[in-house]
């Protein structure tokens, strides 16, 4: 490839550290697509003859067919996917293959291939996240009125509905889709034509290749075109935030499936047993989703560190950009699929959830709100009344709703039977009718709105 300058071949260890074909072969479809677009542009500009262009395009189709059939002779000697494809093209069609690289460098070639690959990965991840949202929305509709304890600090706080809880994750995943869509818009500029770093003296048409590859426009600066990896970092950043959301939901599944909670049950499809304890049903799929978040965050950190000290334009360090990106895409594909499966698979123990919803004096805020509404008590004073009622119930070993009116009136004489009525879990949940609240009526509306926003063609 550069034999005109170098008299001797590389040392074995140099060849080993320099080669990337073992992982960048995943770019083959994008590489061939980019090369064919470049070839057609060169022909349209009169830089290549029509005969040479036809031979190159047909030869690249043959190379793609060999790769997809598993018969392509990948070789470390040719370093990467770009040179492997070009070498095989030369074997297939001869001299015209050597004209393909006119007005192009591997620098802008790989930048283009990589952008195309990340764009495809974003599209795939967005589709998978839409499927996860659909699963969450379906379960939220099913459990719009299923009561459960809502937590802060993992302590019982106020009753909520399970549907409302699940819809919180629909919103998180929606923002993840939005971040991916934003990243896609920003990456959708074409580096091809930047050449090594300074552009080219050939009369190329960069708008032609950009349009052929589905980009919005050519990148405006050739130095930026070959050296930018913001698009990969932004994809990984969005993926890392999404992975954190998946991890939080996975953690809740781990807690909810425990014998101490028993809120939900996962089937044999998403659990494993123990080699020594025959009674165990371990939520391993959820635990692995939780664990893989660390890998995604680590891959993001790895590429940030690779890029942080690089001057313009291209440096060989950037060969190490692809493996972390590939791993992030693979990990997220697996994690999203596992989470979607678990949401659809889980059996909800509504009776246990309902029993737990009132434990821990979760309706104490309701009595404070009643004092504000009915007695016109300042909230801070009402909060104090509710706190004293909690202390009374705690001392007597009963729930707030088990206190008699006479007992409650020892704390606040103006309390009435209507005050006692707000202490039930059902009353508490039903009263939360503010927009975005947990009342079953609101949850049903939110389910319908979520379907319209996220599942019926609307873009985030």
């Amino acid at each position: 490839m550069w034999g005109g300058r170098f008299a001797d071949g590389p040392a074995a260890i140099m060849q080993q550290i320099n080669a990337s074909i073992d992982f960048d072969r995943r770019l083959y479809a994008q590489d061939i697509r980019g090369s064919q677009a470049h070839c057609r542009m060169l022909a349209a500009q009169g830089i290549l003859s029509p005969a040479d262009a036809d031979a190159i395009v047909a030869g690249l189709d043959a190379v793609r067919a060999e790769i997809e059939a598993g018969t392509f002779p990948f070789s470390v000697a040719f370093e990467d996917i770009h040179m492997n494809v070009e070498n095989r093209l030369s074997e297939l069609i001869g001299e015209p293959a050597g004209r393909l690289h006119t007005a192009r460098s591997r620098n802008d070639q790989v930048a283009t291939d990589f952008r195309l690959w990340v764009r495809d990965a974003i599209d795939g991840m967005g589709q998978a996240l839409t499927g996860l949202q659909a699963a969450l929305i379906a379960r939220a509709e099913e459990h719009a009125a299923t009561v459960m304890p809502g937590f802060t600090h993992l302590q019982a706080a106020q009753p909520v509905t399970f549907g409302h809880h699940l819809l919180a994750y629909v919103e998180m995943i929606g923002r993840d889709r939005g971040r991916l869509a934003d990243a896609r818009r920003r990456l959708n500029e074409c580096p091809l034509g930047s050449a090594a770093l300074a552009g080219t003296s050939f009369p190329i048409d960069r708008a032609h290749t950009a349009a052929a590859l589905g980009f919005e426009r050519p990148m405006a600066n050739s130095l930026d075109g070959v050296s930018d990896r913001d698009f990969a970092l932004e994809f990984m950043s969005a993926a890392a935030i999404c992975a954190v959301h998946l991890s939080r939901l996975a953690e809740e599944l781990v807690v909810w499936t425990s014998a101490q909670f028993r809120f939900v049950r996962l089937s044999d499809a998403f659990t494993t047993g123990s080699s020594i304890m025959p009674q165990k049903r371990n939520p391993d799929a959820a635990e692995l989703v939780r664990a893989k978040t660390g890998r995604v965050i680590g891959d993001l950190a790895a590429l940030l560190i690779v890029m942080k000290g690089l001057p313009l334009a291209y440096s060989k360090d950037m060969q190490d950009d692809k493996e972390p990106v590939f791993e992030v895409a693979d990990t997220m594909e697996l994690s999203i699929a596992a989470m979607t499966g678990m949401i659809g698979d889980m059996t909800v123990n509504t009776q246990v959830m309902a029993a737990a919803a009132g434990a821990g004096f979760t309706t104490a805020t309701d009595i404070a709100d009643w004092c504000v509404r009915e007695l016109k008590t300042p909230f801070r004073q009402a909060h104090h009344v509710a706190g004293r009622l909690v202390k009374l119930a705690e001392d007597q070993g009963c729930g707030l709703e088990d206190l008699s009116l006479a007992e409650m009136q020892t704390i606040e004489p103006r309390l009435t039977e209507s005050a006692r009525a707000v202490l039930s879990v059902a009353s508490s949940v039903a009263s939360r009718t503010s927009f975005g609240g947990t009342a079953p009526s609101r949850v049903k509306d939110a389910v319908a709105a979520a379907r319209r926003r996220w599942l019926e063609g609307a873009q985030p």
Side-chain angles (χ1 to χ4, degrees):
M1 181 167 47
W2 44 68
R5 171 65 178 85
F6 286 74
D8 297 319
I13 193 65
M14 177 58 187
Q15 188 175 65
Q16 184 177 351
I17 196 172
N18 195 47
S20 58
I21 188 60
D22 286 346
F23 55 85
D24 70 13
R25 66 177 63 186
R26 293 180 63 162
L27 298 174
Y28 81 87
Q30 291 78 18
D31 189 71
I32 290 171
R33 184 181 172 195
S35 290
Q36 288 179 326
H38 180 67
C39 175
R40 291 186 177 107
M41 180 276 296
L42 293 177
Q45 294 298 105
I47 300 170
L48 280 187
S49 70
D52 282 350
D54 289 345
I56 290 169
V57 169
L60 288 170
D61 283 336
V63 170
R64 181 194 293 110
E66 287 184 354
I67 294 173
E68 292 175 351
T71 61
F72 185 88
F74 289 109
S75 172
V76 173
F78 297 108
E79 293 187 10
D80 56 30
I81 186 61
H82 322 294
M83 296 311 301
N84 267 266
V85 168
E86 186 174 324
N87 178 72
R88 182 60 179 150
L89 180 66
S90 180
E91 292 175 346
L92 291 174
I93 69 170
E95 183 184 22
R99 305 185 192 280
L100 172 60
H101 212 51
T102 305
R104 186 179 71 171
S105 163
R106 275 197 300 176
N107 293 353
D108 61 337
Q109 182 180 1
V110 67
T112 302
D113 295 355
F114 201 19
R115 279 178 183 260
L116 289 170
W117 194 95
V118 171
R119 193 176 69 184
D120 290 344
I122 286 173
D123 291 345
M125 190 180 300
Q127 185 175 3
L129 289 173
T130 302
L132 176 55
Q133 284 183 301
L136 287 163
I137 290 169
R139 300 313 299 266
E141 182 175 41
E142 181 184 348
H143 294 285
T146 298
V147 293
M148 67 174 290
F151 299 93
T152 62
H153 309 275
L154 203 56
Q155 306 296 310
Q158 292 178 318
V160 297
T161 58
F162 190 45
H164 186 62
H165 193 113
L166 294 177
L167 287 176
Y169 285 101
V170 173
E171 294 300 308
M172 294 182 203
I173 299 302
R175 292 192 295 274
D176 293 326
R177 286 177 58 193
R179 274 181 283 271
L180 288 168
D182 288 344
R184 191 190 197 282
R185 279 190 288 271
R186 269 184 289 277
L187 76 75
N188 207 30
E189 297 182 345
C190 186
L192 199 57
S194 299
L197 76 162
T200 178
S201 60
F202 289 95
I204 62 173
D205 183 353
R206 294 191 62 204
H208 181 287
T209 47
L213 295 170
F215 289 108
E216 289 293 324
R217 62 189 69 83
M219 293 187 73
N221 183 283
S222 60
L223 285 166
D224 183 45
V226 299
S227 63
D228 167 57
R229 293 299 184 269
D230 294 3
F231 66 93
L233 291 169
E234 191 168 6
F235 163 64
M236 297 170 80
S237 297
I241 295 171
C242 181
V244 169
H245 291 154
L246 296 179
S247 183
R248 295 182 72 179
L249 180 52
E251 168 67 9
E252 297 208 285
L253 288 173
V254 170
V255 171
W256 291 342
T257 56
S258 68
Q260 288 69 33
F261 271 73
R262 295 188 298 116
F263 285 1
V264 303
R265 184 179 187 275
L266 293 173
S267 76
D268 295 354
F270 291 95
T271 57
T272 65
S274 165
S275 64
I276 189 173
M277 295 169 285
Q279 83 282 6
K280 293 295 293 296
R281 179 185 293 274
N282 300 320
D284 282 8
E287 292 171 356
L288 288 167
V289 168
R290 186 176 60 185
K292 289 182 184 300
T293 300
R295 181 174 298 188
V296 174
I297 294 169
D299 284 328
L300 169 60
L303 186 53
L304 284 167
I305 293 166
V306 166
M307 297 301 299
K308 70 162 183 68
L310 298 186
L312 296 180
Y314 181 82
S315 298
K316 193 69 171 184
D317 311 51
M318 293 161 72
Q319 181 168 286
D320 271 13
D321 57 1
K322 294 166 199 66
E323 285 180 290
V325 171
F326 293 159
E327 183 172 52
V328 164
D330 292 345
T331 300
M332 292 303 296
E333 179 182 14
L334 183 59
S335 295
I336 295 167
M339 184 57 70
T340 303
M342 285 186 285
I343 293 301
D345 177 79
M346 66 182 179
T347 300
V348 180
N349 194 333
T350 58
Q351 291 180 327
V352 172
M353 279 189 174
F361 311 106
T362 57
T363 58
T365 304
D366 294 273
I367 196 67
D369 289 346
W370 185 92
C371 290
V372 172
R373 281 194 308 271
E374 304 298 328
L375 305 181
K376 310 306 178 186
T377 305
F379 181 78
R380 287 302 172 200
Q381 183 180 336
H383 184 284
H384 184 70
V385 169
R388 292 180 64 194
L389 287 168
V390 169
K391 181 66 167 62
L392 177 61
E394 195 172 43
D395 289 344
Q396 295 191 12
C398 67
L400 278 174
E401 69 280 7
D402 298 320
L403 293 173
S404 68
L405 179 59
E407 288 171 325
M408 294 174 68
Q409 287 174 336
T410 64
I411 304 298
E412 170 51 77
R414 294 177 295 168
L415 293 174
T416 68
E417 281 294 338
S418 66
R420 293 187 73 246
V422 304
L423 292 174
S424 73
V425 167
S427 174
S428 175
V429 168
S431 71
R432 300 293 194 262
T433 55
S434 58
F435 180 79
T438 193
S441 59
R442 277 296 190 185
V443 174
K444 291 175 183 176
D445 292 342
V447 164
R451 281 207 172 95
R452 289 192 299 271
R453 286 174 68 199
W454 304 117
L455 305 183
E456 294 177 4
Q459 293 298 313

